[in-house]
Amino acid sequence: MLRLSDVRKRFGKTIAVDGLSLHVHAGEVMGLLGPNGAGKTTTIGMAVGLLRPDSGSVSLGHEPGLVGSPDHPRVRTLVGVAPQEVALYDALTARENLAFFGRLHGLSRREARARARELLASVGLGDRAHHRLHGFSGGMKRRLNLACALVARPRLVLLDEPTAGVDPQSRHAIFEIVANLKAQGVTILFSTHYMEEAARLCDRVAIVDHGRLLALGTVDELVSAHGGPSVVAIRREGQADATRIETATPLEEVARAIGSAGPAIAELRIEKPDLEAVFLHLTGREHRQ
Amino acid sequence: MKGPGVVMVLAAKDLRLLSRDKVAFFFTFVFPLLFGVLFGAVFSGAAGGDGPKAIAVAIADLDQSEDARQVMELFLGDERLRALVAQNAQEAHDLVRTGDAEAYILIPQGFGSAARMPFGGTPMSLDIGSGPSGRATRGLLTGIATQKLYQHLQSTMLDPTRAGEMLRQARQTLGAIEDLPATRRIALLGLMNAAENAVATMPTADADQTPGGAGVGAGAGAGFEIVRIAQVDVSAGGVGDNPQVLTISAFAITFPQAVLWAVMGCAAGFGVSLVGERTGGTMTRLRVAPIGRWHIVLGKALACLLTTVAVSTVLLLVAWLVFGVRPVAPFMLVLAVLALALCFVGVMMLLAVVGKTEAAASGIGWACLLTLAMIGGGAIPLAFMPPWLREVGHVSPVKWGILAIEGGLWRGLSPTEMLLPIGLLLAIGATCFTIGAAVFARRESR
Ligand SMILES: Nc1ncnc2c1ncn2[C@@H]1O[C@H](COP(=O)(O)OP(=O)(O)OP(=O)(O)O)[C@@H](O)[C@H]1O
Ligand SMILES: [Mg+2]
């Protein structure tokens, strides 16, 4: 559905993307995880033809005759993008925004209007259809920004940090939308900083930093390959602090503790490594700009 | 959707945005209309009308300066007024009270110094008073008085020594304004330099340019010129072969200028809005949509073209239906409007790439446009400019735009005569458009 082959992009002295290869399969949800400045936005930009790679190639599409470089308008007919920054006309109403972009994607006036109504309802903005964006909150704009990417029923959707800076309610609504798309078999690539989000929704996760792909796989694969050992924490009666045991086989460790003699167990916890551990392990703990 | 459809959808969106942008609407429509109407009224004295009965006014000069004396003479020489000279404010007041005069005009103290510093912050002012029943008269008088002040200002401006002095003061005032944006400061200083040079080459006031000397004070010849232009009789056809004589009203002069202001407003507005698509992020969406980059450019161009033609048409219709400026060559006028619109679509495209932010684009854009307007006769009729400035004006599309519009409106230029302004407009437009679109395409393909 989307294939990036060894793409590179530099801005002046900054190397934003440095020989990245990625293949997103049809129907798959892939998360693009990386710290600030890792090159996520640049990657998405190249994937949809907004930026021209300095080298390497991009190909997208899954129907015969619609495969090729995103430089060709026709290839982009099946693509929807929600940019990182909200990109809408403030002076237009919510519905006008959606209908306009629908028209650009080839919908008739009637279709565009109907689709706008449908999408507004699905992002919980049905009652704001005729309001201009001036008065919208950040979360409302974000939801509309996402809806705008879906206006032409794309088969491939790229979402650049769709949940940045929204409240838990809005974030939840956005999760739902992505889950719905996934159920409809839409291919999705989305970038994020939120690990739980990635873990929950993504079939596979790509971790990038400094414009390079550091790891790629399912969450479980990544955790077992890069997460490090699990930790079993046991505190017995009379102990102030728990004893922490690093182990690859936590259940066996627990069984052993229960079977062993000594004061009764007051508290027992298994800490499994998660995506965050993988992320920090791969990208380091130091701050980014 | 096919190409033309896409372009129309894009243009429709821009028109909708324009209709919701009060500032843009003001500059593309309200300001030009005000320009055409107000200056037309001032030039032709329409505010006073030529009613049959002269108004009896008491006039008192409380300032006794040279400027006050000159303005007094202007009033005395106006046949719409029957002026009674009063010695002081009390006497003027009494003349109105007793019914000998319908209203009074006081030239207040400090008038002369204000006249010497038109950019000094204190405007020239007159006090106009009437009895309770004289409201309408007062309105009428205000119109006439405004015209006199304007006339006086014109005459002083065309006196080299005084003009030089004023420019120096204006420069000081300009220096004192601290929060003036840099682009505007530079533009104004540039204008001022140009004006100073112009002043240096100006003939002295009492040279042979006073036509007929119709009872106006010395130095006011040029001021009178405006009025003369406004009422000049010109044959629309060639000399002698067309018996139909046409009276050119001041509105025939000011409305072509108004059209140019409107067209410049459109070019600036849409140019800035194209920059805004980039800074606002919507360019990303446009570029991701399955349309070509050229559609984006053409959509903006079409919106600009339609707005320009529509606003010009409305202005010219107002000039015709309200102010009686009937075009002598309607077909030529249509051609002129089209050429002008196409030209400024090109200018718009160039403005769209001069600045990276909307503020920068608007600042630089207006600085350029104002300069083009000044040297092209969009603010002051070319006839009042020194020869060298008129030469410089040849590079300004504003000049050719005004000539083309006037050509169809009242000059009655023949098709061959129209070829030059229309050809130049199209050439300037095509050049600007090519450069602008090329820069745009390059920027958007990174
Ligand atoms: N237009 C540009 N001009 C110059 N440098 C750029 C440009 N776009 C991106 N960069 C640089 O390229 C690098 C990657 O940027 P990018 O926006 O792709 O990162 P990101 O992963 O999306 O970061 P974030 O999570 O903060 O959005 C950064 O160092 C950034 O400064
Ligand atoms: Mg980013």
Side-chain angles (χ1 to χ4, degrees):
Chain A
M1 190 68 178
L2 167 63
R3 188 189 288 277
L4 301 166
S5 311
D6 196 27
V7 288
R8 274 162 220 278
K9 181 75 187 175
R10 66 191 305 162
F11 298 102
K13 285 204 175 109
T14 317
I15 300 177
V17 172
D18 189 10
L20 186 93
S21 296
L22 204 59
H23 185 184
V24 186
H25 304 294
E28 178 178 45
V29 178
M30 184 181 280
L32 195 56
L33 235 58
N36 290 137
K40 304 183 292 295
T41 299
T42 309
T43 303
I44 290 177
M46 288 190 290
V48 295
L50 282 170
L51 296 166
R52 177 165 301 162
D54 297 334
S55 69
S57 70
V58 179
S59 149
L60 53 83
H62 71 159
E63 283 181 13
L66 274 183
V67 181
S69 154
D71 284 347
H72 298 294
R74 264 173 59 77
V75 173
R76 296 197 297 265
T77 45
L78 295 174
V79 183
V81 183
Q84 182 169 2
E85 306 293 336
V86 172
L88 299 163
Y89 296 100
D90 270 354
L92 297 185
T93 66
R95 198 188 77 165
E96 286 167 346
N97 266 291
L98 288 174
F100 166 66
F101 288 109
R103 296 278 284 143
L104 279 195
H105 280 267
L107 303 187
S108 75
R109 200 185 299 256
R110 272 246 309 282
E111 288 166 340
R113 231 177 262 168
R115 182 74 180 135
R117 201 172 314 124
E118 190 180 317
L119 279 170
L120 284 170
S122 80
V123 297
L125 291 173
D127 55 339
R128 294 290 192 135
H130 298 286
H131 292 227
R132 295 190 198 167
L133 269 50
H134 293 300
F136 278 31
S137 74
M140 290 160 73
K141 284 190 184 177
R142 282 241 151 247
R143 280 182 275 152
L144 192 61
N145 198 43
L146 173 61
C148 223
L150 309 179
V151 72
R153 300 182 193 283
R155 302 306 300 159
L156 170 65
V157 176
L158 297 99
L159 309 173
D160 199 351
E161 299 191 23
T163 56
V166 302
D167 61 17
Q169 285 84 349
S170 278
R171 188 177 322 159
H172 187 75
I174 291 173
F175 282 172
E176 298 267 278
I177 293 165
V178 176
N180 271 337
L181 290 172
K182 183 178 174 177
Q184 292 163 30
V186 174
T187 312
I188 300 166
L189 175 67
F190 77 96
S191 76
T192 183
H193 300 289
Y194 292 102
M195 303 301 152
E196 4 44 300
E197 188 169 312
R200 220 164 92 189
L201 291 168
C202 298
D203 298 314
R204 287 195 297 161
V205 172
I207 298 183
V208 294
D209 198 9
H210 303 297
R212 275 189 293 260
L213 183 65
L214 300 181
L216 175 67
T218 64
V219 175
D220 288 342
E221 283 166 6
L222 291 178
V223 169
S224 53
H226 304 284
S230 299
V231 170
V232 176
I234 301 168
R235 189 171 65 79
R236 293 181 184 272
E237 295 288 350
Q239 264 183 311
D241 291 317
T243 319
R244 297 169 60 87
I245 306 156
E246 289 195 353
T247 170
T249 51
L251 287 181
E252 286 173 22
E253 200 61 45
V254 170
R256 194 173 315 142
I258 292 171
S260 70
I265 293 172
E267 195 185 326
L268 189 150
R269 209 166 56 242
I270 300 177
E271 293 169 7
K272 298 190 87 176
D274 57 5
L275 201 53
E276 184 152 341
V278 176
F279 185 81
L280 291 174
H281 172 72
L282 287 172
T283 61
R285 287 177 180 273
E286 75 275 18
H287 279 292
R288 300 307 167 91
Q289 65 278 57
Chain B
M1 194 165 22
K2 294 285 181 314
V6 173
V7 173
M8 268 179 312
V9 168
L10 284 162
K13 176 263 301 173
D14 276 315
L15 295 180
R16 183 170 274 163
L17 287 175
L18 174 72
S19 74
R20 292 183 186 170
D21 180 347
K22 292 205 187 72
V23 176
F25 184 73
F26 178 84
F27 276 112
T28 46
F29 189 69
V30 181
F31 173 73
L33 190 62
L34 284 177
F35 184 95
V37 174
L38 289 182
F39 280 86
V42 168
F43 283 159
S44 61
D50 34 19
K53 186 166 90 54
I55 309 167
V57 230
I59 306 182
D61 176 0
L62 310 181
D63 189 47
Q64 300 289 334
S65 65
E66 178 62 17
D67 289 276
R69 195 186 57 74
Q70 284 172 8
V71 170
M72 182 80 149
E73 274 183 35
L74 288 178
F75 281 117
L76 294 177
D78 194 309
E79 57 201 19
R80 289 168 296 182
L81 305 177
R82 189 161 57 78
L84 310 164
V85 179
Q87 294 312 314
N88 52 45
Q90 187 58 49
E91 193 183 331
H93 207 254
D94 288 343
L95 281 168
V96 174
R97 222 163 27 85
T98 55
D100 290 320
E102 293 175 52
Y104 65 79
I105 299 176
L106 302 182
I107 304 178
Q109 265 184 3
F111 180 88
S113 54
R116 283 180 184 278
M117 293 191 284
F119 306 111
T122 338
M124 281 190 283
S125 67
L126 295 172
D127 297 338
I128 298 176
S130 69
S133 61
R135 282 258 173 77
T137 316
R138 212 157 66 205
L140 228 56
L141 264 185
T142 308
I144 296 174
T146 311
Q147 180 197 355
K148 297 299 173 212
L149 289 184
Y150 189 79
Q151 236 172 294
H152 181 64
L153 188 63
Q154 283 282 331
S155 68
T156 47
M157 293 274 225
L158 290 176
D159 173 345
T161 43
R162 296 207 41 183
E165 187 190 322
M166 279 180 209
L167 282 166
R168 267 189 300 284
Q169 273 161 4
R171 202 186 271 280
Q172 273 171 11
T173 314
L174 193 62
I177 308 173
E178 275 160 14
D179 52 357
L180 195 68
T183 48
R184 219 153 300 165
R185 186 188 300 274
I186 291 167
L188 286 172
L189 283 176
L191 278 179
M192 232 157 261
N193 283 337
E196 268 175 6
N197 287 333
V199 165
T201 59
M202 236 155 53
T204 41
D206 53 1
D208 58 351
Q209 54 171 325
T210 314
V216 212
F224 187 66
E225 184 97 19
I226 289 176
V227 180
R228 196 188 64 89
I229 278 195
Q231 296 165 352
V232 76
D233 290 344
V234 174
S235 162
V239 180
D241 69 344
N242 190 344
Q244 179 202 6
V245 169
L246 189 86
T247 303
I248 305 302
S249 84
F251 297 103
I253 308 282
T254 56
F255 267 85
Q257 291 179 328
V259 168
L260 261 293
W261 284 107
V263 169
M264 289 191 289
C266 287
F270 284 103
V272 170
S273 87
L274 192 50
V275 176
E277 301 264 16
R278 184 150 3 95
T279 55
T282 43
M283 182 62 79
T284 308
R285 282 198 189 283
L286 297 183
R287 288 203 32 217
V288 170
I291 60 174
R293 257 191 302 271
W294 283 103
H295 289 131
I296 303 174
V297 169
L298 289 179
K300 205 53 99 174
L302 179 63
C304 183
L305 184 75
L306 290 176
T307 312
T308 309
V309 170
V311 175
S312 309
T313 308
V314 170
L315 284 171
L316 291 170
L317 279 177
V318 169
W320 180 6
L321 301 176
V322 181
F323 297 101
V325 183
R326 199 188 144 84
V328 292
F331 180 67
M332 288 298 146
L333 188 57
V334 170
L335 283 188
V337 167
L338 281 179
L340 179 65
L342 286 170
C343 174
F344 275 81
V345 166
V347 172
M348 178 277 289
M349 201 56 222
L350 194 56
L351 294 181
V353 298
V354 294
K356 289 244 150 94
T357 65
E358 284 168 276
S362 156
I364 300 172
W366 274 113
C368 297
L369 288 174
L370 288 178
T371 311
L372 289 180
M374 290 306 277
I375 63 173
I380 308 169
L382 283 176
F384 296 119
M385 292 192 172
W388 72 267
L389 199 55
R390 258 179 274 175
E391 291 290 321
V392 175
H394 288 335
V395 302
S396 171
V398 174
K399 176 204 158 110
W400 301 111
I402 291 180
L403 184 60
I405 300 279
E406 286 182 347
L409 201 57
W410 56 269
R411 286 180 192 269
L413 297 189
S414 70
T416 26
E417 288 168 322
M418 285 293 271
L419 222 52
L420 177 69
I422 285 187
L424 281 172
L425 284 174
L426 293 178
I428 295 172
T431 311
C432 293
F433 190 84
T434 311
I435 298 174
V439 174
F440 175 84
R442 228 194 54 203
R443 264 194 209 158
E444 291 302 331
S445 67
R446 284 201 281 231

